[in-house]
Amino acid sequence: MPLNVRDHGGDGPPLVLLHGSGRSLADWDASAAALTASHRVLAVDLPGHGRSTDISPWTIPTVVRHIADTLDAHGVPETVVVGHSLGGMVAIEYARAYEDSARAAVNLDCFWWGRPGEYPGAERVGELLRRSAGAAAPPGYIEEQVAHAARYGIPSDRAEAAARAAVRPLPDGRWQTLPECTAALEMYGELDRLGALGVTAWLEGMTCPLLLVQAGRLQPPPTTEWFDDLSTRFARGLSAELAELSRNRPNITVTQIDASHPMTLEAPEAVAKLIAGFVRGLSAGTTAAGTPTEPPWFSPTSTARYAVPRADLPGHAPEGRPTDHEGER
């Protein structure tokens, strides 16, 4: 089943861009515009998201098969697959399943929440996400998204366009968040399944070049104390695990970016520059793992709060659940 695609055109090695959970291909518009100077760029709505139809059950093997069908339909035999948040996990799994057509994969800030019991409090995130899966948002949802996005410095027009593309209007004036409940619960189950392996075990057997990117900027307040504590512990542990991976796995490059989790909306030019540089390195044969880049503004032992959303763009947060920057990791 071909998925909904926005073909941005451009010339050069193809890139396929995948968005996060509850989001749409519109999140990539600004980055895509910067990438078309050196790449053919296609952005894809994942199943059940944006304008792509739902699938049942929602499983990552089925999702990557639909992506492969979509690329075939658009005449793209080989590509670098780039994903943000949920899309980053899907990009890795696409590269695993279609190693002959995936030159490389880029995972922008999706590492879920570690092995079961590794980070106490992570189970609470999962409970809150499931409680709000497929919810109908109030009529003022779009305006709330735009206002919340301003905390991250995201321009209002970009935030509004992205918010509208990620939901479906209902007859009573409310907004249906996507994917709908059944698919959303299945999707979280897939994230739990892969996340339970831990990053090192999850990436075992991957041989193509991988770029793993952590968000490096603090999440703006307000946040909750329990989530701050969880994020701090998780950021420290993940940073150490990724550093070890980059030392021991020559196909893995690790870096951080001066942005928070919604980086495709907050810092699209920086995201595009990072992706383009990685792909240039593939062609030049210089892309390799090494000591992770640790800019002066980043400290894995600080109290940095990593933005880890369910829906990857700022949004309305019902009482008691993480904001849309706090659930998906």
Side-chain angles (χ1 to χ4, degrees), residues 61-98:
T62 304
V63 169
V64 300
R65 188 171 69 248
H66 287 319
I67 294 171
D69 291 345
T70 301
L71 297 184
D72 286 344
H74 285 264
V76 180
E78 184 182 71
T79 187
V80 174
V81 190
V82 181
H84 171 243
S85 208
L86 166 69
M89 188 170 278
V90 174
I92 298 289
E93 292 304 304
Y94 179 90
R96 190 194 305 275
Y98 294 92

PDB file of all heavy atoms in Angstrom, residues 61-98:
ATOM      1  N   PRO A  61       7.301  -4.030  11.076  1.00  0.00           N
ATOM      2  CA  PRO A  61       7.578  -4.747   9.822  1.00  0.00           C
ATOM      3  C   PRO A  61       6.586  -4.401   8.709  1.00  0.00           C
ATOM      4  O   PRO A  61       6.983  -4.266   7.541  1.00  0.00           O
ATOM      5  CB  PRO A  61       7.467  -6.221  10.232  1.00  0.00           C
ATOM      6  CG  PRO A  61       7.851  -6.232  11.678  1.00  0.00           C
ATOM      7  CD  PRO A  61       7.261  -4.965  12.230  1.00  0.00           C
ATOM      8  N   THR A  62       5.309  -4.233   9.068  1.00  0.00           N
ATOM      9  CA  THR A  62       4.321  -3.847   8.055  1.00  0.00           C
ATOM     10  C   THR A  62       4.556  -2.423   7.590  1.00  0.00           C
ATOM     11  O   THR A  62       4.461  -2.110   6.391  1.00  0.00           O
ATOM     12  CB  THR A  62       2.898  -3.998   8.617  1.00  0.00           C
ATOM     13  OG1 THR A  62       2.706  -5.339   9.069  1.00  0.00           O
ATOM     14  CG2 THR A  62       1.855  -3.684   7.547  1.00  0.00           C
ATOM     15  N   VAL A  63       4.899  -1.532   8.504  1.00  0.00           N
ATOM     16  CA  VAL A  63       5.167  -0.145   8.149  1.00  0.00           C
ATOM     17  C   VAL A  63       6.326  -0.049   7.168  1.00  0.00           C
ATOM     18  O   VAL A  63       6.247   0.643   6.142  1.00  0.00           O
ATOM     19  CB  VAL A  63       5.442   0.703   9.417  1.00  0.00           C
ATOM     20  CG1 VAL A  63       5.974   2.084   9.042  1.00  0.00           C
ATOM     21  CG2 VAL A  63       4.174   0.831  10.252  1.00  0.00           C
ATOM     22  N   VAL A  64       7.418  -0.752   7.449  1.00  0.00           N
ATOM     23  CA  VAL A  64       8.578  -0.641   6.555  1.00  0.00           C
ATOM     24  C   VAL A  64       8.276  -1.256   5.194  1.00  0.00           C
ATOM     25  O   VAL A  64       8.797  -0.789   4.171  1.00  0.00           O
ATOM     26  CB  VAL A  64       9.862  -1.234   7.184  1.00  0.00           C
ATOM     27  CG1 VAL A  64      10.218  -0.523   8.471  1.00  0.00           C
ATOM     28  CG2 VAL A  64       9.755  -2.716   7.409  1.00  0.00           C
ATOM     29  N   ARG A  65       7.420  -2.269   5.155  1.00  0.00           N
ATOM     30  CA  ARG A  65       7.026  -2.833   3.859  1.00  0.00           C
ATOM     31  C   ARG A  65       6.243  -1.800   3.044  1.00  0.00           C
ATOM     32  O   ARG A  65       6.441  -1.666   1.833  1.00  0.00           O
ATOM     33  CB  ARG A  65       6.203  -4.101   4.060  1.00  0.00           C
ATOM     34  CG  ARG A  65       5.921  -4.835   2.750  1.00  0.00           C
ATOM     35  CD  ARG A  65       5.296  -6.198   2.986  1.00  0.00           C
ATOM     36  NE  ARG A  65       3.939  -6.105   3.495  1.00  0.00           N
ATOM     37  CZ  ARG A  65       3.569  -6.471   4.713  1.00  0.00           C
ATOM     38  NH1 ARG A  65       4.470  -6.929   5.575  1.00  0.00           N
ATOM     39  NH2 ARG A  65       2.312  -6.370   5.108  1.00  0.00           N
ATOM     40  N   HIS A  66       5.363  -1.048   3.707  1.00  0.00           N
ATOM     41  CA  HIS A  66       4.607  -0.006   3.004  1.00  0.00           C
ATOM     42  C   HIS A  66       5.537   1.110   2.528  1.00  0.00           C
ATOM     43  O   HIS A  66       5.321   1.686   1.457  1.00  0.00           O
ATOM     44  CB  HIS A  66       3.517   0.557   3.916  1.00  0.00           C
ATOM     45  CG  HIS A  66       2.359  -0.380   4.123  1.00  0.00           C
ATOM     46  ND1 HIS A  66       1.830  -1.135   3.106  1.00  0.00           N
ATOM     47  CD2 HIS A  66       1.636  -0.671   5.233  1.00  0.00           C
ATOM     48  CE1 HIS A  66       0.811  -1.859   3.582  1.00  0.00           C
ATOM     49  NE2 HIS A  66       0.687  -1.601   4.868  1.00  0.00           N
ATOM     50  N   ILE A  67       6.548   1.430   3.315  1.00  0.00           N
ATOM     51  CA  ILE A  67       7.526   2.432   2.862  1.00  0.00           C
ATOM     52  C   ILE A  67       8.249   1.926   1.615  1.00  0.00           C
ATOM     53  O   ILE A  67       8.431   2.666   0.641  1.00  0.00           O
ATOM     54  CB  ILE A  67       8.529   2.760   3.986  1.00  0.00           C
ATOM     55  CG1 ILE A  67       7.814   3.454   5.147  1.00  0.00           C
ATOM     56  CG2 ILE A  67       9.664   3.640   3.462  1.00  0.00           C
ATOM     57  CD1 ILE A  67       8.674   3.614   6.400  1.00  0.00           C
ATOM     58  N   ALA A  68       8.645   0.662   1.619  1.00  0.00           N
ATOM     59  CA  ALA A  68       9.324   0.086   0.453  1.00  0.00           C
ATOM     60  C   ALA A  68       8.418   0.134  -0.783  1.00  0.00           C
ATOM     61  O   ALA A  68       8.865   0.489  -1.884  1.00  0.00           O
ATOM     62  CB  ALA A  68       9.747  -1.349   0.746  1.00  0.00           C
ATOM     63  N   ASP A  69       7.140  -0.206  -0.620  1.00  0.00           N
ATOM     64  CA  ASP A  69       6.189  -0.131  -1.736  1.00  0.00           C
ATOM     65  C   ASP A  69       6.072   1.299  -2.255  1.00  0.00           C
ATOM     66  O   ASP A  69       5.980   1.531  -3.467  1.00  0.00           O
ATOM     67  CB  ASP A  69       4.810  -0.629  -1.295  1.00  0.00           C
ATOM     68  CG  ASP A  69       4.784  -2.128  -1.009  1.00  0.00           C
ATOM     69  OD1 ASP A  69       5.730  -2.836  -1.417  1.00  0.00           O
ATOM     70  OD2 ASP A  69       3.814  -2.574  -0.362  1.00  0.00           O
ATOM     71  N   THR A  70       6.064   2.241  -1.333  1.00  0.00           N
ATOM     72  CA  THR A  70       5.940   3.650  -1.698  1.00  0.00           C
ATOM     73  C   THR A  70       7.151   4.122  -2.494  1.00  0.00           C
ATOM     74  O   THR A  70       7.018   4.827  -3.504  1.00  0.00           O
ATOM     75  CB  THR A  70       5.756   4.504  -0.433  1.00  0.00           C
ATOM     76  OG1 THR A  70       4.583   4.063   0.266  1.00  0.00           O
ATOM     77  CG2 THR A  70       5.618   5.981  -0.767  1.00  0.00           C
ATOM     78  N   LEU A  71       8.333   3.731  -2.062  1.00  0.00           N
ATOM     79  CA  LEU A  71       9.543   4.129  -2.776  1.00  0.00           C
ATOM     80  C   LEU A  71       9.595   3.481  -4.165  1.00  0.00           C
ATOM     81  O   LEU A  71      10.015   4.118  -5.139  1.00  0.00           O
ATOM     82  CB  LEU A  71      10.776   3.754  -1.964  1.00  0.00           C
ATOM     83  CG  LEU A  71      10.913   4.454  -0.609  1.00  0.00           C
ATOM     84  CD1 LEU A  71      12.221   4.068   0.062  1.00  0.00           C
ATOM     85  CD2 LEU A  71      10.811   5.960  -0.759  1.00  0.00           C
ATOM     86  N   ASP A  72       9.146   2.235  -4.258  1.00  0.00           N
ATOM     87  CA  ASP A  72       9.062   1.590  -5.566  1.00  0.00           C
ATOM     88  C   ASP A  72       8.136   2.367  -6.497  1.00  0.00           C
ATOM     89  O   ASP A  72       8.451   2.590  -7.673  1.00  0.00           O
ATOM     90  CB  ASP A  72       8.564   0.151  -5.427  1.00  0.00           C
ATOM     91  CG  ASP A  72       9.606  -0.800  -4.865  1.00  0.00           C
ATOM     92  OD1 ASP A  72      10.805  -0.432  -4.862  1.00  0.00           O
ATOM     93  OD2 ASP A  72       9.228  -1.896  -4.425  1.00  0.00           O
ATOM     94  N   ALA A  73       6.991   2.787  -5.952  1.00  0.00           N
ATOM     95  CA  ALA A  73       6.021   3.520  -6.764  1.00  0.00           C
ATOM     96  C   ALA A  73       6.566   4.861  -7.242  1.00  0.00           C
ATOM     97  O   ALA A  73       6.140   5.377  -8.280  1.00  0.00           O
ATOM     98  CB  ALA A  73       4.734   3.729  -5.964  1.00  0.00           C
ATOM     99  N   HIS A  74       7.506   5.425  -6.515  1.00  0.00           N
ATOM    100  CA  HIS A  74       8.091   6.714  -6.875  1.00  0.00           C
ATOM    101  C   HIS A  74       9.446   6.567  -7.569  1.00  0.00           C
ATOM    102  O   HIS A  74      10.136   7.569  -7.771  1.00  0.00           O
ATOM    103  CB  HIS A  74       8.207   7.601  -5.639  1.00  0.00           C
ATOM    104  CG  HIS A  74       6.899   8.176  -5.195  1.00  0.00           C
ATOM    105  ND1 HIS A  74       6.470   9.438  -5.561  1.00  0.00           N
ATOM    106  CD2 HIS A  74       5.912   7.646  -4.443  1.00  0.00           C
ATOM    107  CE1 HIS A  74       5.282   9.668  -5.044  1.00  0.00           C
ATOM    108  NE2 HIS A  74       4.918   8.596  -4.352  1.00  0.00           N
ATOM    109  N   GLY A  75       9.802   5.350  -7.921  1.00  0.00           N
ATOM    110  CA  GLY A  75      11.035   5.135  -8.666  1.00  0.00           C
ATOM    111  C   GLY A  75      12.295   5.450  -7.895  1.00  0.00           C
ATOM    112  O   GLY A  75      13.240   6.025  -8.448  1.00  0.00           O
ATOM    113  N   VAL A  76      12.311   5.089  -6.597  1.00  0.00           N
ATOM    114  CA  VAL A  76      13.490   5.337  -5.753  1.00  0.00           C
ATOM    115  C   VAL A  76      14.072   3.987  -5.344  1.00  0.00           C
ATOM    116  O   VAL A  76      13.627   3.371  -4.373  1.00  0.00           O
ATOM    117  CB  VAL A  76      13.111   6.162  -4.509  1.00  0.00           C
ATOM    118  CG1 VAL A  76      14.344   6.413  -3.639  1.00  0.00           C
ATOM    119  CG2 VAL A  76      12.470   7.483  -4.905  1.00  0.00           C
ATOM    120  N   PRO A  77      15.080   3.488  -6.084  1.00  0.00           N
ATOM    121  CA  PRO A  77      15.622   2.164  -5.779  1.00  0.00           C
ATOM    122  C   PRO A  77      16.581   2.138  -4.597  1.00  0.00           C
ATOM    123  O   PRO A  77      16.787   1.097  -3.971  1.00  0.00           O
ATOM    124  CB  PRO A  77      16.352   1.779  -7.066  1.00  0.00           C
ATOM    125  CG  PRO A  77      16.769   3.099  -7.651  1.00  0.00           C
ATOM    126  CD  PRO A  77      15.684   4.076  -7.288  1.00  0.00           C
ATOM    127  N   GLU A  78      17.197   3.273  -4.279  1.00  0.00           N
ATOM    128  CA  GLU A  78      18.183   3.342  -3.193  1.00  0.00           C
ATOM    129  C   GLU A  78      18.048   4.686  -2.506  1.00  0.00           C
ATOM    130  O   GLU A  78      17.843   5.708  -3.160  1.00  0.00           O
ATOM    131  CB  GLU A  78      19.595   3.184  -3.760  1.00  0.00           C
ATOM    132  CG  GLU A  78      20.670   3.139  -2.689  1.00  0.00           C
ATOM    133  CD  GLU A  78      22.064   3.021  -3.275  1.00  0.00           C
ATOM    134  OE1 GLU A  78      22.545   4.017  -3.861  1.00  0.00           O
ATOM    135  OE2 GLU A  78      22.660   1.944  -3.159  1.00  0.00           O
ATOM    136  N   THR A  79      18.176   4.694  -1.186  1.00  0.00           N
ATOM    137  CA  THR A  79      17.964   5.942  -0.457  1.00  0.00           C
ATOM    138  C   THR A  79      18.676   5.919   0.887  1.00  0.00           C
ATOM    139  O   THR A  79      19.069   4.861   1.391  1.00  0.00           O
ATOM    140  CB  THR A  79      16.454   6.173  -0.214  1.00  0.00           C
ATOM    141  OG1 THR A  79      16.238   7.457   0.358  1.00  0.00           O
ATOM    142  CG2 THR A  79      15.878   5.113   0.710  1.00  0.00           C
ATOM    143  N   VAL A  80      18.844   7.109   1.455  1.00  0.00           N
ATOM    144  CA  VAL A  80      19.178   7.258   2.871  1.00  0.00           C
ATOM    145  C   VAL A  80      17.869   7.553   3.587  1.00  0.00           C
ATOM    146  O   VAL A  80      17.145   8.481   3.216  1.00  0.00           O
ATOM    147  CB  VAL A  80      20.200   8.390   3.099  1.00  0.00           C
ATOM    148  CG1 VAL A  80      20.416   8.615   4.595  1.00  0.00           C
ATOM    149  CG2 VAL A  80      21.519   8.059   2.415  1.00  0.00           C
ATOM    150  N   VAL A  81      17.555   6.758   4.603  1.00  0.00           N
ATOM    151  CA  VAL A  81      16.292   6.901   5.329  1.00  0.00           C
ATOM    152  C   VAL A  81      16.555   7.699   6.599  1.00  0.00           C
ATOM    153  O   VAL A  81      17.415   7.330   7.403  1.00  0.00           O
ATOM    154  CB  VAL A  81      15.687   5.528   5.677  1.00  0.00           C
ATOM    155  CG1 VAL A  81      14.276   5.697   6.210  1.00  0.00           C
ATOM    156  CG2 VAL A  81      15.687   4.621   4.461  1.00  0.00           C
ATOM    157  N   VAL A  82      15.805   8.779   6.763  1.00  0.00           N
ATOM    158  CA  VAL A  82      16.007   9.696   7.881  1.00  0.00           C
ATOM    159  C   VAL A  82      14.705   9.773   8.671  1.00  0.00           C
ATOM    160  O   VAL A  82      13.639  10.013   8.098  1.00  0.00           O
ATOM    161  CB  VAL A  82      16.381  11.107   7.387  1.00  0.00           C
ATOM    162  CG1 VAL A  82      16.611  12.048   8.569  1.00  0.00           C
ATOM    163  CG2 VAL A  82      17.595  11.054   6.476  1.00  0.00           C
ATOM    164  N   GLY A  83      14.783   9.567   9.972  1.00  0.00           N
ATOM    165  CA  GLY A  83      13.576   9.643  10.784  1.00  0.00           C
ATOM    166  C   GLY A  83      13.781  10.435  12.048  1.00  0.00           C
ATOM    167  O   GLY A  83      14.843  10.383  12.667  1.00  0.00           O
ATOM    168  N   HIS A  84      12.724  11.158  12.424  1.00  0.00           N
ATOM    169  CA  HIS A  84      12.724  11.903  13.679  1.00  0.00           C
ATOM    170  C   HIS A  84      11.810  11.196  14.663  1.00  0.00           C
ATOM    171  O   HIS A  84      10.692  10.815  14.331  1.00  0.00           O
ATOM    172  CB  HIS A  84      12.227  13.339  13.444  1.00  0.00           C
ATOM    173  CG  HIS A  84      11.998  14.094  14.713  1.00  0.00           C
ATOM    174  ND1 HIS A  84      10.762  14.563  15.085  1.00  0.00           N
ATOM    175  CD2 HIS A  84      12.848  14.443  15.716  1.00  0.00           C
ATOM    176  CE1 HIS A  84      10.858  15.187  16.250  1.00  0.00           C
ATOM    177  NE2 HIS A  84      12.114  15.116  16.651  1.00  0.00           N
ATOM    178  N   SER A  85      12.281  10.996  15.880  1.00  0.00           N
ATOM    179  CA  SER A  85      11.533  10.369  16.953  1.00  0.00           C
ATOM    180  C   SER A  85      11.051   8.988  16.490  1.00  0.00           C
ATOM    181  O   SER A  85      11.867   8.195  16.059  1.00  0.00           O
ATOM    182  CB  SER A  85      10.404  11.291  17.403  1.00  0.00           C
ATOM    183  OG  SER A  85      10.099  11.040  18.751  1.00  0.00           O
ATOM    184  N   LEU A  86       9.755   8.682  16.550  1.00  0.00           N
ATOM    185  CA  LEU A  86       9.279   7.384  16.063  1.00  0.00           C
ATOM    186  C   LEU A  86       9.860   7.071  14.683  1.00  0.00           C
ATOM    187  O   LEU A  86      10.266   5.938  14.405  1.00  0.00           O
ATOM    188  CB  LEU A  86       7.750   7.372  15.990  1.00  0.00           C
ATOM    189  CG  LEU A  86       7.128   6.222  15.207  1.00  0.00           C
ATOM    190  CD1 LEU A  86       7.317   4.898  15.928  1.00  0.00           C
ATOM    191  CD2 LEU A  86       5.652   6.493  14.935  1.00  0.00           C
ATOM    192  N   GLY A  87       9.901   8.078  13.823  1.00  0.00           N
ATOM    193  CA  GLY A  87      10.443   7.869  12.482  1.00  0.00           C
ATOM    194  C   GLY A  87      11.889   7.420  12.493  1.00  0.00           C
ATOM    195  O   GLY A  87      12.329   6.703  11.587  1.00  0.00           O
ATOM    196  N   GLY A  88      12.656   7.814  13.522  1.00  0.00           N
ATOM    197  CA  GLY A  88      14.030   7.364  13.633  1.00  0.00           C
ATOM    198  C   GLY A  88      14.122   5.870  13.886  1.00  0.00           C
ATOM    199  O   GLY A  88      14.983   5.180  13.336  1.00  0.00           O
ATOM    200  N   MET A  89      13.223   5.357  14.716  1.00  0.00           N
ATOM    201  CA  MET A  89      13.197   3.923  14.970  1.00  0.00           C
ATOM    202  C   MET A  89      12.779   3.173  13.709  1.00  0.00           C
ATOM    203  O   MET A  89      13.355   2.129  13.359  1.00  0.00           O
ATOM    204  CB  MET A  89      12.249   3.620  16.137  1.00  0.00           C
ATOM    205  CG  MET A  89      12.298   2.181  16.613  1.00  0.00           C
ATOM    206  SD  MET A  89      11.383   1.932  18.158  1.00  0.00           S
ATOM    207  CE  MET A  89      12.591   2.469  19.375  1.00  0.00           C
ATOM    208  N   VAL A  90      11.787   3.717  13.001  1.00  0.00           N
ATOM    209  CA  VAL A  90      11.334   3.091  11.757  1.00  0.00           C
ATOM    210  C   VAL A  90      12.452   3.119  10.713  1.00  0.00           C
ATOM    211  O   VAL A  90      12.649   2.151   9.962  1.00  0.00           O
ATOM    212  CB  VAL A  90      10.071   3.789  11.229  1.00  0.00           C
ATOM    213  CG1 VAL A  90       9.678   3.246   9.857  1.00  0.00           C
ATOM    214  CG2 VAL A  90       8.906   3.614  12.205  1.00  0.00           C
ATOM    215  N   ALA A  91      13.206   4.218  10.646  1.00  0.00           N
ATOM    216  CA  ALA A  91      14.308   4.315   9.683  1.00  0.00           C
ATOM    217  C   ALA A  91      15.337   3.210   9.914  1.00  0.00           C
ATOM    218  O   ALA A  91      15.825   2.582   8.964  1.00  0.00           O
ATOM    219  CB  ALA A  91      14.975   5.686   9.785  1.00  0.00           C
ATOM    220  N   ILE A  92      15.682   2.964  11.181  1.00  0.00           N
ATOM    221  CA  ILE A  92      16.636   1.893  11.493  1.00  0.00           C
ATOM    222  C   ILE A  92      16.083   0.544  11.050  1.00  0.00           C
ATOM    223  O   ILE A  92      16.784  -0.273  10.437  1.00  0.00           O
ATOM    224  CB  ILE A  92      16.942   1.865  13.004  1.00  0.00           C
ATOM    225  CG1 ILE A  92      17.605   3.171  13.460  1.00  0.00           C
ATOM    226  CG2 ILE A  92      17.796   0.647  13.364  1.00  0.00           C
ATOM    227  CD1 ILE A  92      19.017   3.370  12.999  1.00  0.00           C
ATOM    228  N   GLU A  93      14.803   0.306  11.335  1.00  0.00           N
ATOM    229  CA  GLU A  93      14.209  -0.980  10.986  1.00  0.00           C
ATOM    230  C   GLU A  93      14.048  -1.142   9.479  1.00  0.00           C
ATOM    231  O   GLU A  93      14.142  -2.269   8.954  1.00  0.00           O
ATOM    232  CB  GLU A  93      12.879  -1.157  11.709  1.00  0.00           C
ATOM    233  CG  GLU A  93      13.026  -1.312  13.217  1.00  0.00           C
ATOM    234  CD  GLU A  93      13.945  -2.477  13.575  1.00  0.00           C
ATOM    235  OE1 GLU A  93      13.681  -3.616  13.136  1.00  0.00           O
ATOM    236  OE2 GLU A  93      14.946  -2.243  14.282  1.00  0.00           O
ATOM    237  N   TYR A  94      13.821  -0.040   8.766  1.00  0.00           N
ATOM    238  CA  TYR A  94      13.795  -0.118   7.304  1.00  0.00           C
ATOM    239  C   TYR A  94      15.168  -0.536   6.787  1.00  0.00           C
ATOM    240  O   TYR A  94      15.287  -1.408   5.916  1.00  0.00           O
ATOM    241  CB  TYR A  94      13.383   1.218   6.697  1.00  0.00           C
ATOM    242  CG  TYR A  94      13.374   1.188   5.179  1.00  0.00           C
ATOM    243  CD1 TYR A  94      12.229   0.829   4.478  1.00  0.00           C
ATOM    244  CD2 TYR A  94      14.525   1.475   4.452  1.00  0.00           C
ATOM    245  CE1 TYR A  94      12.224   0.754   3.093  1.00  0.00           C
ATOM    246  CE2 TYR A  94      14.535   1.403   3.062  1.00  0.00           C
ATOM    247  CZ  TYR A  94      13.385   1.043   2.393  1.00  0.00           C
ATOM    248  OH  TYR A  94      13.401   0.961   1.023  1.00  0.00           O
ATOM    249  N   ALA A  95      16.210   0.083   7.304  1.00  0.00           N
ATOM    250  CA  ALA A  95      17.568  -0.244   6.865  1.00  0.00           C
ATOM    251  C   ALA A  95      17.919  -1.689   7.192  1.00  0.00           C
ATOM    252  O   ALA A  95      18.659  -2.345   6.446  1.00  0.00           O
ATOM    253  CB  ALA A  95      18.573   0.709   7.508  1.00  0.00           C
ATOM    254  N   ARG A  96      17.394  -2.209   8.283  1.00  0.00           N
ATOM    255  CA  ARG A  96      17.645  -3.608   8.650  1.00  0.00           C
ATOM    256  C   ARG A  96      16.945  -4.553   7.654  1.00  0.00           C
ATOM    257  O   ARG A  96      17.522  -5.562   7.230  1.00  0.00           O
ATOM    258  CB  ARG A  96      17.134  -3.877  10.066  1.00  0.00           C
ATOM    259  CG  ARG A  96      17.563  -5.227  10.627  1.00  0.00           C
ATOM    260  CD  ARG A  96      16.762  -5.583  11.876  1.00  0.00           C
ATOM    261  NE  ARG A  96      16.807  -4.585  12.909  1.00  0.00           N
ATOM    262  CZ  ARG A  96      17.767  -4.483  13.825  1.00  0.00           C
ATOM    263  NH1 ARG A  96      18.776  -5.317  13.821  1.00  0.00           N
ATOM    264  NH2 ARG A  96      17.700  -3.543  14.759  1.00  0.00           N
ATOM    265  N   ALA A  97      15.705  -4.220   7.299  1.00  0.00           N
ATOM    266  CA  ALA A  97      14.910  -5.101   6.442  1.00  0.00           C
ATOM    267  C   ALA A  97      15.283  -4.989   4.970  1.00  0.00           C
ATOM    268  O   ALA A  97      15.147  -5.955   4.219  1.00  0.00           O
ATOM    269  CB  ALA A  97      13.422  -4.797   6.626  1.00  0.00           C
ATOM    270  N   TYR A  98      15.732  -3.802   4.541  1.00  0.00           N
ATOM    271  CA  TYR A  98      16.016  -3.550   3.117  1.00  0.00           C
ATOM    272  C   TYR A  98      17.449  -3.049   2.955  1.00  0.00           C
ATOM    273  O   TYR A  98      17.698  -1.972   2.441  1.00  0.00           O
ATOM    274  CB  TYR A  98      15.004  -2.542   2.558  1.00  0.00           C
ATOM    275  CG  TYR A  98      13.596  -3.078   2.538  1.00  0.00           C
ATOM    276  CD1 TYR A  98      12.734  -2.859   3.606  1.00  0.00           C
ATOM    277  CD2 TYR A  98      13.144  -3.841   1.462  1.00  0.00           C
ATOM    278  CE1 TYR A  98      11.444  -3.366   3.605  1.00  0.00           C
ATOM    279  CE2 TYR A  98      11.857  -4.361   1.443  1.00  0.00           C
ATOM    280  CZ  TYR A  98      11.012  -4.127   2.520  1.00  0.00           C
ATOM    281  OH  TYR A  98       9.741  -4.649   2.518  1.00  0.00           O
TER     282      TYR A  98
END
